[in-house]
């Protein structure tokens, strides 16, 4: 019985953040200002508040400026659009992130479309989605970019490998598939209407699970030696006497780790990569805005 190598996303992300911090310091020395990220939070969704707080702290720790805009849940679309316009024109702001989901009544697509594509560090603007689709340089959504970094670090060349991405969201599944195609993998996107998902997954050398269903992917779906990237974050119901349930991924970890060659844990796998890549994208945006080449190896 084999036991998979654990892909330590936390350590990889920490090393990436150190390199970003060094590049941000050198940017500041050249330009006289820090790279800056504006994060906009509308309403009081508790999970979003935690994410926004974590993003602000990570910016400061990397030597970047963080501009937080916390707006009331009943903020009008016009007021939000006018804030985005101001941030688009602010030379201190290199990246703009509007925390999703937005409260009902605000049109997410219209808000994202208002962000300058050059400051769209989340990579959600249709211009950046289009750039990724046609292979032009642009901002790529942070979570899938973090996943491809882990995969390349683990496997080196992905050419010709069979990859199965489970999930077809604009934020994870679709950009993930495009990054894998760019890396010359043979890619299948599976989703809620896929017939016999277990059989599709069984042919994969690389499995990326981005569904949002606790431990859905079972150990006997995994091809022996495959690399498994688990994007899912699901909270189980609390066990007796506990206030909160455990966090688990979309993959039944204990089972899959007996079969896979390498696997990301939850937590500590993909999660830490997302914020590190957000900082990376902000630094790249700052370099573009200052007419400097983006640092290599980030
Ligand atoms: P989503 O709900 O937008 O998309 C889920 C996808 O799963 C859909 O495309 C759907 O077709 C597919 N799906 C649903 N049921 C299925 C089934 N039974 N079989 C096969 N496919 C099925 O979710 P998302 O935003 O892509 O996120 C997916 C998961 O990743 C969630 O758990 C989310 O919390 C997590 N996530 C983690 C990070 C991170 O930083 N680690 C970032 C983003 C999302």
């Amino acid at each position: 019985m084999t036991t998979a190598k654990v892909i330590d996303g936390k350590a990889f992300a920490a090393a990436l953040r150190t390199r970003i911090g060094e590049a941000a310091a050198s940017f500041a020395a050249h330009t006289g200002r820090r790279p800056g990220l504006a994060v906009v939070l509308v309403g009081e969704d508790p999970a979003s508040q935690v994410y926004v707080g974590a993003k602000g702290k990570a910016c400061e720790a990397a030597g970047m400026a963080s501009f937080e805009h916390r707006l009331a849940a009943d903020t009008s679309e016009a007021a939000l659009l006018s804030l985005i316009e101001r941030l688009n024109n602010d030379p201190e702001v290199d990246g703009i992130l509007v925390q999703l989901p937005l409260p009902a009544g605000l049109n997410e697509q219209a808000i994202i479309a208002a962000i300058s594509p050059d400051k769209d560090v989340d990579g959600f603007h249709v211009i950046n989605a289009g750039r990724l689709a046609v292979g032009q340089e642009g901002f790529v959504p942070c979570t899938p970019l973090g996943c491809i970094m882990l995969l390349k670090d683990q496997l080196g060349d992905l050419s010709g490998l069979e990859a199965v991405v489970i999930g077809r969201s604009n934020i994870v599944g679709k950009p993930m598939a495009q990054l894998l195609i760019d890396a010359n993998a043979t890619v299948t996107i599976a989703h809620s209407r896929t017939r016999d998902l277990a059989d599709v997954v069984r042919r994969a050398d690389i499995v990326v699970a981005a569904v949002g269903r606790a431990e859905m992917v079972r150990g006997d779906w995994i091809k022996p030696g495959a690399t498994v990237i688990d994007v899912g974050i699901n909270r189980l119901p609390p066990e007796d006497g506990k206030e909160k349930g455990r966090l688990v991924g979309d993959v039944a970890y204990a089972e899959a780790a007996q079969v896979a060659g390498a696997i990301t844990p939850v937590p500590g796998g993909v999660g830490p990569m997302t914020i590190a890549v957000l900082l990376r994208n902000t630094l790249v945006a700052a370099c573009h805005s200052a007419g400097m080449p983006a640092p290599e190896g980030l």
Side-chain angles (χ1 to χ4, degrees), residues 6-18 150 264-265 267-274 276:
V6 180
I7 300 175
D8 188 346
K10 206 171 160 190
F12 191 99
L16 180 59
R17 280 166 66 158
T18 301
L150 292 178
T264 58
V270 174
M273 292 301 292
T274 300

Side-chain angles (χ1 to χ4, degrees), residues 143 166-169 171-173 190-192 197 210-213 216 231-234 250 270-271 274:
T143 301
I166 318 174
R168 56 176 160 184
S169 71
I171 293 174
V172 188
H191 47 75
S192 50
L197 183 61
V211 183
R213 287 183 171 227
M216 183 187 81
V231 182
I233 303 176
N234 312 287
D250 291 342
V270 174
T274 300

Side-chain angles (χ1 to χ4, degrees), residues 12 44 121:
F12 191 99
E44 276 154 22
V121 286

